[in-house]
Amino acid sequence: LLNTVHDVLRVPVTALAGDAVFIVDPHHIAHRIPITLRARNQDFAQVTSGLSTNDLIAANAANLHDGDPITLTQPPTTIAP
């Protein structure tokens, strides 16, 4: 049985900091924002609120804190809904 879900964004589970993620602002500063999760598997989590499609998130939330500077090691990528 398949269930089609609309208006949901996917993020890598490594980006999760509990029920939050870190978005990266234009000055490369991390900001912790709360999100609402719908479901997750070992690779991705479905986010139903708290993010927009234009948000740049830190792919690895381990050891990040609000206000930390971020160094981009790869160009930003888009993860399809």
Side-chain angles (χ1 to χ4, degrees):
L1 178 65
L2 295 175
N3 184 15
T4 302
V5 179
H6 300 281
D7 298 324
V8 173
L9 299 173
R10 286 189 321 167
V11 297
V13 295
T14 57
L16 298 176
D19 286 341
V21 293
F22 286 92
I23 61 168
V24 181
D25 72 18
H27 303 288
H28 297 165
I29 302 298
H31 301 280
R32 188 178 192 276
I33 59 163
I35 57 171
T36 302
L37 297 173
R38 181 177 188 279
R40 68 186 275 180
N41 63 25
Q42 69 185 47
D43 298 317
F44 293 99
Q46 295 176 340
V47 179
T48 57
S49 67
L51 285 179
S52 74
T53 56
N54 296 325
D55 288 333
L56 177 62
I57 63 165
N60 189 344
N63 302 317
L64 272 182
H65 298 91
D66 198 45
D68 280 352
I70 299 292
T71 300
L72 297 179
T73 59
Q74 299 177 22
T77 59
T78 302
I79 297 177

